[in-house]
């Protein structure tokens, strides 16, 4: 596990976008695994800027999103469909046919889960998967539980997750109780994983991800077994780690 600590959220976002951008330059038809939540928004802004500057091209890129609320229409401005179009897809030259987000409105939800995993398998596999992390160490919507879930599945959201996400809705009651998410197994199959965390409220989850026992009660702890994981943290999210755990990103000053 490689851990990079940035000065603040702005530099974390830039660093994450540079890593995704490099992947896209090296492999223009990359398959990207994408995440929602507040944390990746800055990375998406930087990617849009890189696209506008002509540095990266999304025309051959395929994407798979981690999760979506169950039974929340795509048009709802709190759906992850809406989030992804609003924060990224509407601003870049991605072919919309190459965009995949689990359909939480599917009539046959079990079939939707199987179909989603099949589509990932039928692509060349996810080259780089972006993850946020919950205060309870969830990745995607894989909440703390008694076993690691392999494939895409329906989950009942933890009360702590619903409360954390209530800030986006007008009330806690409006936050869906269920979601459809890629499993830890689907995430683990990604060739490279980029986990972003910002803020003091993530520090304990990050400590447990790096140093804790590997257990489904700490879903992110499975990443200790993955061969290519990069954690990009700001100082606050890294505050419970020791300095020996990580590398510090120095801001490069302009050379005249
Ligand atoms: P956040 O959510 O980026 O809004 O903190 C992360 C997550 O819950 O996975």
């Amino acid at each position: 596990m490689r851990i990079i600590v940035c000065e603040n959220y702005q530099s974390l976002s830039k660093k994450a976008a540079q890593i995704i951008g490099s992947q896209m330059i090296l492999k223009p038809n990359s398959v990207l695994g994408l995440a929602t939540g507040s944390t990746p928004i800055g990375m998406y802004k930087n990617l849009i800027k890189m696209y506008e500057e002509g540095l990266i091209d999304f025309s051959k890129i395929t994407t798979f999103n981690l999760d979506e609320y169950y039974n929340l229409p795509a048009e709802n401005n709190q759906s992850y469909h809406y989030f992804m179009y609003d924060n990224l897809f509407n601003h870049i030259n991605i072919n919309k046919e190459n965009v995949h987000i689990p359909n939480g409105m599917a009539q046959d939800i079990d079939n939707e889960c199987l179909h989603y995993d099949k589509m990932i398998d039928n692509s060349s596999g996810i080259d780089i998967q972006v993850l946020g992390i919950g205060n309870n160490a969830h990745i995607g919507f894989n909440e703390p539980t008694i076993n690691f879930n392999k494939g895409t599945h329906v989950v009942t959201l933890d009360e702590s997750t619903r409360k954390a996400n209530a800030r986006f809705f007008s009330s806690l009651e409006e936050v869906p109780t269920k979601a459809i998410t890629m499993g830890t197994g689907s995430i683990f199959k990604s060739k490279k994983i980029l986990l972003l965390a910002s803020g003091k409220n993530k520090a304990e989850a990050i400590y447990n991800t790096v140093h804790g026992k590997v257990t489904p009660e700490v879903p992110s702890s499975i990443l200790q077994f993955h061969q290519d994981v990069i954690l990009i943290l700001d100082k606050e999210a890294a505050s419970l780690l020791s300095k020996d755990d990580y590398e510090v990103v120095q801001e490069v000053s302009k050379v005249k």
Side-chain angles (χ1 to χ4, degrees):
M1 199 178 274
R2 186 163 170 217
I3 304 173
I4 297 174
V5 177
C6 302
E7 189 59 35
N8 52 35
Y9 178 70
Q10 282 69 28
S11 65
L12 169 161
S13 301
K14 206 170 181 178
K15 187 56 58 189
Q18 284 167 344
I19 292 172
I20 299 292
S22 309
Q23 167 70 37
M24 292 172 58
I25 291 165
L26 291 169
K27 186 178 173 196
N29 62 346
S30 286
V31 180
L32 306 180
L34 299 179
T36 51
S38 322
T39 314
I41 291 178
M43 177 191 77
Y44 292 140
K45 284 202 168 88
N46 277 278
L47 283 172
I48 293 167
K49 189 159 167 269
M50 288 161 79
Y51 161 70
E52 287 171 348
E53 288 169 355
L55 299 174
I56 52 175
D57 170 23
F58 286 85
S59 62
K60 297 194 184 73
I61 294 290
T62 295
T63 65
F64 285 95
N65 261 81
L66 281 169
D67 46 18
E68 176 57 287
Y69 287 117
Y70 179 69
N71 220 3
L72 191 70
E75 307 74 59
N76 186 301
N77 65 6
Q78 292 312 324
S79 79
Y80 289 165
H81 279 74
Y82 191 98
F83 175 102
M84 286 309 301
Y85 279 88
D86 198 33
N87 284 292
L88 183 66
F89 299 143
N90 285 341
H91 310 284
I92 55 174
N93 67 334
I94 195 155
N95 179 348
K96 304 293 184 307
E97 285 176 9
N98 295 338
V99 166
H100 306 90
I101 305 173
N103 178 8
M105 296 294 288
Q107 293 279 334
D108 183 345
I109 202 76
D110 293 334
N111 194 44
E112 168 65 15
C113 293
L114 291 173
H115 176 61
Y116 201 70
D117 283 332
K118 211 169 269 170
M119 285 194 299
I120 298 175
D121 287 344
N122 289 346
S123 73
S124 52
I126 294 174
D127 289 298
I128 184 162
Q129 173 68 58
V130 177
L131 296 177
I133 186 168
N135 299 343
N136 64 358
H138 72 203
I139 47 176
F141 269 138
N142 291 279
E143 302 285 31
T145 181
I146 50 166
N147 51 13
F148 286 114
N149 262 291
K150 285 195 187 126
T152 301
H153 60 287
V154 175
V155 285
T156 298
L157 298 176
D158 265 15
E159 271 316 287
S160 67
T161 299
R162 292 186 65 241
K163 280 188 188 141
N165 289 5
R167 66 193 195 274
F168 302 115
F169 292 81
S170 13
S171 68
L172 178 60
E173 290 67 47
E174 275 185 32
V175 184
T177 53
K178 291 183 174 185
I180 176 168
T181 183
M182 274 165 61
T184 36
S186 332
I187 293 169
F188 199 81
K189 277 199 236 167
S190 310
K191 292 166 200 161
K192 187 186 270 293
I193 292 176
L194 190 63
L195 185 147
L196 316 180
S198 162
K200 210 157 190 80
N201 58 339
K202 300 294 171 68
E204 190 180 343
I206 289 298
Y207 179 85
N208 291 333
T209 304
V210 177
H211 291 298
K213 191 173 131 203
V214 176
T215 162
E217 282 161 25
V218 181
S220 57
S221 64
I222 190 86
L223 300 178
Q224 289 178 26
F225 290 149
H226 194 282
Q227 57 172 11
D228 194 355
V229 177
I230 307 173
L231 265 50
I232 305 194
L233 314 173
D234 65 7
K235 283 186 164 167
E236 292 188 333
S239 57
L240 297 179
L241 299 180
S242 102
K243 291 216 164 17
D244 297 336
D245 288 329
Y246 56 77
E247 305 156 42
V248 179
V249 168
Q250 303 290 353
E251 292 298 330
V252 182
S253 53
K254 279 186 192 156
V255 180
K256 294 249 165 87

